[in-house]
Amino acid sequence: MASRVPDQVVFDAVLQVIAEQGYERSTTRSIAEAAGINEATLFRRFTSKENLLRQAVRSNFLGFALDLDTPGDDVAADLLTIVNYYARLYDTRGGVVLTLMREAKFSPEVAAVLTEPESLLGRVDEVILHHQRRGALVVEPPRHTFFALVGPLMMRAFARRVDRLTTQTPADPEAVVRRFLNGHRPQQAP
Amino acid sequence: MASRVPDQVVFDAVLQVIAEQGYERSTTRSIAEAAGINEATLFRRFTSKENLLRQAVRSNFLGFALDLDTPGDDVAADLLTIVNYYARLYDTRGGVVLTLMREAKFSPEVAAVLTEPESLLGRVDEVILHHQRRGALVVEPPRHTFFALVGPLMMRAFARRVDRLTTQTPADPEAVVRRFLNGHRPQQAP
DNA sequence: TGTAGATGCAAGTAAGCACTTGCATCGCAC
DNA sequence: GTGCGATGCAAGTGCTTACTTGCATCTACA
């Protein structure tokens, strides 16, 4: 039977509340209130808090694909794809993503939920390795390259939610890639 | 009267436990156990969990000064000072620092404790502004420059504690500064 | 040696939390 | 209209946690 409040509305409420409060601090009561349903109904429909988060994350990342399957000869273009993806992700879902990343370390519950989105990083690694082999990037562990590329972006999104002195302007992905490449082309001039 | 277990030992235990568990998950019982004292003694000596954290943070940042008072004509040297400082901070206290940064957003308790260490960022801002005026750095909000500089470093320290695929090698501060400058000198060649 | 203050120990208090349950109600298919 | 399944409501259960308390014990210092 159809529910009065559709699942997707509840999922959005979950992610919003968690973005604001963190997973541990966000109570099922406040989630239910934000979703506009009763707390008991929440458990009847989604069984547990962990399962609720899992379904919310899954349903939310379904429409958020990274188109990276065939890395080409253009480093800048491929890196721009990656940076664009994360810029969009942090702009729309930055609160949840960073919150969950942090809490995953302490909470096996949260960590279990994040395995699916994490598989994405594997594909990013492959693109970076591809361009390292082509001689277009400094050879180093691909995660290092990734953090040097996306680090400035992530830190700004991260800080935007903590530090009110930080400007709210979103980063320009093309500038990020250009500046990154100026520092990470191999055999650069001293 | 002298305590059986000196304060500094308790403070180290607090920061260690919080680094591993996060502030909210770390119970006063586990902190007491790690410090080798009784939980009741913990409250008799330090009043509350929040006050305990405050004293621990304060006593720990006292010996951790950033020597930045007189920015000079050498951008690279001043940036290296900053990067070295944060590299050292994240290597020795990375777990606590990043944990507290994240939790500060949700917990007024934690946020209140972090005001002192945050004043450091103001001095970093001034150094960046100084070199922007000298024409040695792209003109932009200083926090943006800061995140572009330290972001790669922080993300690696951050990920090192979450993601076991990330290499444990600490970053090389000189390489970080060199690569950063290649992307952030004004009027660069296309 | 004697004493005061700090500690350990064990039990307890009060609050918040995820999750449950019983019952009245509401909306929809027939 | 009637019945059924999903909902709202209110109360409750059991657990964890920060924090307290009363008492025995230890240690430093006179």
Side-chain angles (χ1 to χ4, degrees), chain A residues 5 10 24 33 47-48 51-52 76 79 86 112 136 144 171 182:
Chain A
V5 173
V10 180
E24 302 225 323
E33 193 178 346
T47 312
S48 73
N51 186 56
L52 175 60
L79 295 188
Y86 281 97
H144 290 195
N182 281 336

Coordinates of all heavy atoms in Angstrom, one line a residue, chain A residues 5 10 24 33 47-48 51-52 76 79 86 112 136 144 171 182:
Chain A
V5 N 3.6 9.5 3.3 CA 4.9 10.3 2.9 C 5.8 9.3 2.1 O 6.2 8.3 2.7 CB 5.5 10.7 4.2 CG1 6.9 11.4 3.9 CG2 4.7 11.7 5.0
V10 N 11.4 11.0 3.0 CA 12.0 10.5 4.3 C 13.6 10.5 4.1 O 14.3 11.0 4.9 CB 11.5 9.2 4.7 CG1 12.2 8.7 6.0 CG2 10.0 9.2 4.9
E24 N 25.4 10.3 14.8 CA 25.2 9.9 16.2 C 24.3 10.9 17.0 O 23.5 10.5 17.8 CB 26.6 9.8 17.0 CG 27.5 8.9 16.3 CD 28.2 8.0 17.4 OE1 28.5 8.5 18.4 OE2 28.4 6.8 17.1
E33 N 10.5 13.8 12.8 CA 9.8 15.1 12.8 C 10.1 15.9 11.5 O 9.3 16.4 10.9 CB 10.3 15.9 14.0 CG 9.5 17.2 14.3 CD 10.1 17.9 15.5 OE1 10.9 17.3 16.3 OE2 9.7 19.1 15.7
T47 N 12.8 -0.3 9.8 CA 13.4 -1.3 10.6 C 14.3 -0.7 11.7 O 14.1 -0.9 12.9 CB 14.1 -2.4 9.8 OG1 13.3 -2.9 8.8 CG2 14.5 -3.6 10.7
S48 N 15.4 -0.1 11.2 CA 16.4 0.5 12.2 C 17.0 1.7 11.6 O 16.9 2.0 10.4 CB 17.5 -0.6 12.4 OG 18.3 -0.7 11.3
N51 N 19.6 0.9 8.9 CA 19.0 0.5 7.7 C 18.4 1.7 7.0 O 18.5 1.8 5.7 CB 18.0 -0.5 7.9 CG 17.4 -1.1 6.6 OD1 18.2 -1.6 5.7 ND2 16.1 -1.0 6.4
L52 N 17.9 2.6 7.7 CA 17.3 3.8 7.1 C 18.4 4.6 6.4 O 18.2 5.1 5.3 CB 16.7 4.7 8.3 CG 16.2 6.1 7.8 CD1 15.1 6.0 6.8 CD2 15.6 6.8 9.1
A76 N 44.0 17.0 -18.8 CA 43.2 18.1 -18.3 C 41.7 17.7 -18.3 O 41.0 18.0 -17.4 CB 43.5 19.4 -19.0
L79 N 40.9 15.0 -15.7 CA 40.9 15.5 -14.3 C 39.7 16.5 -14.1 O 39.2 16.5 -13.0 CB 42.2 16.3 -14.1 CG 43.5 15.4 -14.1 CD1 44.7 16.2 -13.7 CD2 43.3 14.1 -13.3
Y86 N 33.3 16.0 -8.0 CA 33.4 16.2 -6.6 C 32.9 17.6 -6.2 O 32.3 17.8 -5.1 CB 34.8 15.9 -6.1 CG 35.1 14.4 -5.9 CD1 35.7 13.7 -6.9 CD2 34.6 13.8 -4.8 CE1 35.9 12.3 -6.8 CE2 34.8 12.4 -4.7 CZ 35.5 11.7 -5.7 OH 35.7 10.3 -5.5
A112 N 29.8 0.6 7.2 CA 29.2 -0.4 6.4 C 28.4 0.2 5.3 O 28.2 -0.4 4.2 CB 28.3 -1.3 7.3
A136 N 52.1 11.9 -18.3 CA 51.4 13.2 -18.2 C 51.3 13.6 -16.7 O 51.0 14.8 -16.4 CB 50.0 13.1 -18.8
H144 N 47.6 9.9 -3.5 CA 48.3 11.1 -3.2 C 47.9 12.1 -4.3 O 47.6 13.3 -4.0 CB 49.8 10.9 -3.2 CG 50.3 10.2 -2.0 ND1 51.6 10.1 -1.7 CD2 49.6 9.4 -1.1 CE1 51.8 9.4 -0.6 NE2 50.6 8.9 -0.2
A171 N 34.3 26.7 -5.6 CA 35.6 26.7 -6.3 C 35.3 26.6 -7.8 O 34.3 26.0 -8.3 CB 36.4 25.6 -5.9
N182 N 50.0 22.6 -13.2 CA 51.2 23.3 -13.2 C 52.2 22.8 -12.2 O 53.4 23.0 -12.3 CB 51.0 24.8 -12.9 CG 50.4 25.5 -14.2 OD1 50.7 25.1 -15.3 ND2 49.7 26.6 -14.0

